[in-house]
Amino acid sequence: MCGIVAYLGQKEAYPILLGGLHRLEYRGYDSAGIALMQSSGITMYKKKGRVDELQKFCNNLDTSGSLGIAHTRWATHGEPSEQNAHPHVSEDGSMALIHNGIVENYIILKQQLVNQGVIFQSDTDTEVLVHLIKNVQDKEKVSLPEAVIIALRMVEGTYAIAIISKDDPNQLIVAKKGTPLLIGIGDNEYIIGSDGAPIVEYTKQVIYLEDGDVGVIRIDKPIQISNVNDSKNLHRSPYIQTLELNLEQLEKGGFDTYMLKEIYEQPKAVRDSMRGRINLEKDVVSLGGILEYEQKMLNARRFIIVACGTSWHAGLVAEHLFETLVRVPVEVEYASEFRYRNPVIYEDDVLIAISQSGETADTLAAVEIGKKRGATVIGICNVVGSTMARETMAGSYSHAGPEIGVACTKTFTAQITVLALMALSLAKKKGTISMSQYHKLINDLESAPDKIESVLHYEQQIQRIAQYVATKPNAMFLGRGVNFPIALEGALKLKEISYIHAEGYPAAEIKHGPIALIDTNMPVIVVAPEQHTYDKVVSNIQEIIARKGTIISIVTEGDSVIKKMSKFTIEVPKIDELLTPLVTTIPLQILAYHVALIRDCDVDKPRNLAKSVSVE
Ligand code: M6R
């Protein structure tokens, strides 16, 4: 969740580190810090708050040096504060370390160090690492790389770390387990990042560290990589890959915020997620990444979908797609619950993990469980080269392009598109779909980008609805069938970026409790396009109106019934019922966005959140 950047080269490190922190800020933004190797030793600057605060603080200070490490934090252990911000330093100030991940056995390690007289400065788990490494180095009289390896063998949990030490001011040490770390190889320089964002401006040549890897980086020698699990400490040759990321994809491109840019990118994202996967001439849908495991998927007794947050909502949409088209039972699970539930998994189950980042700790743990119990494990993720992409047996990328806004938008619609393609491809091969239905769905899927585009034109109209919703303390979102997950997603979008309390329910369910909340002050946003339960939704709306609730509806163009019952209505183009989520979710994203702006919230970096949740 935290952002890590480090630099070793011929240039001034500070501007590169600072630029990297700005690019990584979406990963966590409650404090930031930088440590620079200077002739006098390590100089460190830390600030609570955003990277801008750190930058202001560093103005007019000495930021010279061509080796440095920097960090933007999402607090796990210890509140956001200067003291808890990274880097953390050894007691004598000779070594500085930044960390992403969680040291699970930090209490035991800390106690051992405290017993030896070490004085801690922060409440973090991270600080244990720097004292432990220093302690090993001093006691065992070994080099720093050796000390890092010995110390990391004692550590339980996850880490991506970068370390500098005054003892060798030309050396940068990095290590990773369970959370990503990349070494960018430039021209006589190295840029390290917790993802490609701080690197791509300088180079596209990267090494993805493997779990347990420890890398020793110097300008005067080739990079040395060894692994903490290798008792002989042998070095392996690094495998250099090309980063699949462009700088323009990381910019706002004229929009005020990343979120709005990403909302508007949805026609392209959905098109890109279909690109090369539908062959009209041959009349086939084919997802190259899963071909090897297709037979397993065709023979699946059951699909188990695991995911978190918005990706879980995409999984709920997939439940409808797969059960309707492929006629195989589907279970959709919160990965965080699934992993601790001792679930029953059969060898002919197919577990599909969905994740934008491919780094969500709970989803990755569910993947491991699926693999251990012999299921076929398929991944759907957006970030190329992510842990999920490497840990699943096969999978499909959603190809939405980088998403920087913390709230997922374009990756959600791209996930649904990939899941629809997957269901269609399997259904055709299994013969569980008629050819006319298959062709209609392909046709409608191909029309989705244009239909999404047309919904984007309603932004001004939605802005007016936002003025109304922004004055309310609560909101309720209702939907049925394949649009129930869209109600959940609409509520999640609103609460996470505008901080208005919102709940999503299946429309018929409210009479079992939530209807007690309805009064004149409760906006009820009903996702009610043309679908087989339309008339039922009409009755549900009547029940709300009878209790003086205010209806805001999302309906299909030309609707006359629900429109008359609503204070506000947004019309979306007609599309096959199973694909309606692709269009009904768009107005809800725009609504949440404008409510958040009216309430003066930071839509790209909502409070307490981070883009990828790589801790459990
Ligand atoms: O990267 P993932 O898709 O695995 O992330 C899962 C959730 O943290 C994520 O979908 C979250 O709910 C959204 N950012 C909310 O908009």
Side-chain angles (χ1 to χ4, degrees), residues 307-313 354-361 363 380 383 388 403 405-409 411 415 489 492-493 496-497 609-613:
C308 302
T310 293
S311 297
W312 183 73
H313 297 155
I354 308 174
S355 172
Q356 184 287 128
S357 59
E359 303 297 346
T360 300
T363 312
I380 293 180
V383 178
M388 179 181 284
E403 190 176 65
V406 165
C408 289
T409 52
T411 52
Q415 284 168 343
E489 176 62 7
L492 176 62
K493 287 289 90 92
E496 74 175 319
I497 62 167
L609 292 175
K611 184 70 181 164
S612 77
V613 186

Side-chain angles (χ1 to χ4, degrees), residues 61-92:
L61 295 175
D62 180 6
T63 54
S64 60
S66 51
L67 168 61
I69 56 178
H71 188 271
T72 173
R73 180 169 185 251
W74 185 86
T76 57
H77 298 60
E79 60 171 14
S81 69
E82 215 161 283
Q83 208 180 20
N84 290 332
H86 301 209
H88 291 283
V89 286
S90 56
E91 283 181 294
D92 62 0

Side-chain angles (χ1 to χ4, degrees), residues 166-288:
K166 192 181 164 193
D167 294 350
D168 191 342
N170 301 309
Q171 174 179 265
L172 173 63
I173 299 190
V174 292
K176 96 119 199 166
K177 182 183 158 207
T179 182
L181 200 65
L182 284 69
I183 305 175
I185 306 166
D187 190 10
N188 245 348
E189 64 182 2
Y190 297 96
I191 306 101
I192 282 69
S194 40
D195 62 37
I199 299 175
V200 68
E201 195 172 340
Y202 306 98
T203 179
K204 284 201 166 193
Q205 301 294 98
V206 292
I207 300 167
Y208 286 87
L209 289 185
E210 302 286 336
D211 273 352
D213 277 354
V214 176
V216 180
I217 305 168
R218 305 178 59 91
I219 291 293
D220 54 356
K221 285 189 187 157
I223 296 177
Q224 279 187 354
I225 296 185
S226 33
N227 197 285
V228 296
N229 303 319
D230 174 7
S231 54
K232 293 188 187 132
N233 278 357
L234 297 176
H235 297 145
R236 73 167 166 83
S237 331
Y239 171 49
I240 300 173
Q241 301 181 51
T242 304
L243 196 58
E244 290 193 32
L245 189 66
N246 292 318
L247 202 52
E248 309 80 68
Q249 294 175 311
L250 300 174
E251 309 286 349
K252 285 192 197 142
F255 285 88
D256 288 342
T257 61
Y258 282 112
M259 184 176 173
L260 194 62
K261 174 183 174 241
E262 286 153 7
I263 288 174
Y264 273 83
E265 277 175 346
Q266 288 180 102
K268 179 174 182 316
V270 168
R271 235 175 242 124
D272 286 348
S273 63
M274 285 190 277
R275 198 179 302 285
R277 290 170 167 172
I278 302 176
N279 186 331
L280 290 179
E281 264 172 38
K282 293 191 182 151
D283 202 18
V284 288
V285 171
S286 146
L287 294 155

Side-chain angles (χ1 to χ4, degrees), residues 7 12 27 139 234 252 280 288 302 342 368 445 473 504 528:
Y7 178 83
E12 283 296 295
R27 295 178 66 104
K139 279 205 171 139
L234 297 176
K252 285 192 197 142
L280 290 179
R302 175 178 64 156
N342 194 11
E368 282 317 305
L445 202 50

